[in-house]
Amino acid sequence: MDVDVFVAAHQAQWARLEQLLGRGRRLTGEEADELVSLYQRTSTHLSLIQSSAPDPMLVGRLTQLVARARAAITGARRASWRDAARFFTAGFPAAVYRSRRWWIPTAVLSIAVGVLLGWWIATNPEAQSVIAAPDDLRRLTQPGGEYETYYSSHPAASFAAKVWTNNAQAAAMCLVLGAFLGLPVLWILFLNMANLGVGIGLMASAGRLDVFLGLILPHGLLELTAVFVAAGMGLRLGWTVIDPGPRTRRAALAEQGRAALGMAIGLALILFVSGLIEGFVTPSGLPTWARIAIGVAAEAAFLVYVYVLGGRAARAGDVGDVEEADQTATLPTAA
């Protein structure tokens, strides 16, 4: 391609496009149509220049011109409270709902691993001796021991903030590391279930499993559900790397990655609620049944939120992605 000839042939169109852009919103209907037409032509010109004769100065000029024209046509979009409301009433619950085939099996299998590990520790004195010395085990499991005092060892507000930060980090790691074929997510899940299994096993061996469950269930139901949702989404992201479906791998990962980022924000709020329960309810003087009832109510509210609002949004076509106007433009690809 002869760049000079190409510029001479289309210079007038580019100049006209710049002239229309300079008028801002003071365009007639015919001029607005002309602006759209010139934007499309200039985009094509830019593509031809980039593929055939990538002159840096010309590419830079046309890129800027195309960007200005696109902004003028689509309009600048600003985030608003409406966006936040839509995210929490549709986008986030829809993403959780659509990934339920990943996080529900993840939850069932993980809990099974934790329970089986706890049963093995409870019935195997040798395993208990590997975990800690007999005196240390007594300090952990006896009335007033470390398992009981852990939740009241710090002021409620600072303790809630601490556990919220730790849990949010674990959830974020599951979401981010899912891109590595999901393998790090499996390791994070195992570590969480190992900690749970050790607590179940040691307290059961001391005949105090009821006390342990009374301490874990109030906050643990919602907390573990959030972790399982994050892990399920991470595993789904990892599977997208292997099987992107009918889309290109790049497009599929972009969509799942944006949904995962939004889910991280939503789960941070869910874990904040769990942290408040762990900091203020779990160590409180309420009866065990009352503390557990609060945890069950919080878990039930989350599931209703996901299955009612999320299910409705998912059936309406919401995938938990950002608005179409905020997505990167994609070009058709051959199958």
Side-chain angles (χ1 to χ4, degrees):
M1 175 187 293
D2 189 320
V3 177
D4 293 334
V5 172
F6 189 85
V7 171
H10 301 291
Q11 177 66 42
Q13 295 176 346
W14 303 338
R16 176 58 177 166
L17 178 57
E18 285 187 289
Q19 181 184 12
L20 292 174
L21 290 173
R23 296 187 59 185
R25 298 183 179 181
R26 301 186 305 275
L27 297 176
T28 65
E30 291 182 358
E31 289 173 334
D33 291 339
E34 184 184 5
L35 174 63
V36 173
S37 177
L38 289 173
Y39 160 67
Q40 294 172 335
R41 293 179 191 176
T42 306
S43 298
T44 302
H45 298 162
L46 175 60
S47 179
L48 290 173
I49 289 293
Q50 289 175 322
S51 60
S52 302
D55 180 273
M57 293 186 63
L58 183 57
V59 168
R61 176 191 172 189
L62 293 183
T63 298
Q64 184 181 24
L65 186 59
V66 168
R68 289 175 57 199
R70 183 176 187 273
I73 293 170
T74 61
R77 188 173 181 278
R78 297 180 181 179
S80 65
W81 286 108
R82 182 178 298 176
D83 295 317
R86 180 200 164 275
F87 171 74
F88 284 110
T89 58
F92 171 59
V96 178
Y97 180 83
R98 290 176 61 89
S99 62
R100 68 193 185 283
R101 292 184 178 86
W102 287 89
W103 62 263
I104 291 179
T106 298
V108 172
L109 292 175
S110 297
I111 292 173
V113 168
V115 170
L116 288 174
L117 182 61
W119 171 81
W120 179 70
I121 292 173
T123 57
N124 194 331
E126 293 181 358
Q128 298 171 27
S129 65
V130 172
I131 294 172
D135 290 342
D136 293 331
L137 292 178
R138 280 192 291 272
R139 281 196 296 271
L140 284 170
T141 59
Q142 67 186 359
E146 294 180 17
Y147 270 123
E148 290 186 47
T149 59
Y150 169 75
Y151 297 101
S152 56
S153 57
H154 297 87
S158 62
F159 184 74
K162 178 182 177 182
V163 297
W164 174 50
T165 302
N166 292 339
N167 292 331
Q169 287 177 343
M173 288 176 64
C174 286
L175 292 168
V176 172
L177 297 179
F180 296 95
L181 303 181
L183 297 178
V185 177
L186 297 176
W187 178 245
I188 294 172
L189 278 175
F190 176 76
L191 291 179
N192 276 273
M193 292 304 102
N195 288 333
L196 178 63
V198 168
I200 291 175
L202 294 181
M203 291 294 276
S205 67
R208 308 192 71 236
L209 181 59
D210 57 335
V211 175
F212 181 76
L213 294 178
L215 293 170
I216 288 293
L217 291 179
H219 65 275
L221 291 172
L222 188 60
E223 176 183 302
L224 285 176
T225 299
V227 172
F228 294 146
V229 169
M233 189 65 179
L235 293 173
R236 184 181 184 184
L237 183 61
W239 183 252
T240 301
V241 177
I242 301 172
D243 182 14
R247 300 161 297 177
T248 64
R249 182 169 282 104
R250 179 178 180 181
L253 283 174
E255 178 183 313
Q256 293 297 330
R258 289 190 297 264
L261 178 60
M263 191 173 284
I265 298 172
L267 289 178
L269 180 61
I270 301 302
L271 288 168
F272 177 72
V273 175
S274 171
L276 290 178
I277 296 174
E278 188 169 359
F280 292 92
V281 176
T282 299
S284 70
L286 292 172
T288 300
W289 67 264
R291 289 185 278 114
I292 293 178
I294 292 174
V296 170
E299 173 75 357
F302 176 69
L303 294 178
V304 169
Y305 166 70
V306 168
Y307 275 85
V308 175
L309 293 183
R312 181 188 306 156
R315 287 187 292 272
D318 199 320
V319 297
D321 201 353
V322 297
E323 294 281 2
E324 185 176 356
D326 296 327
Q327 298 176 20
T328 302
T330 57
L331 295 174
T333 57

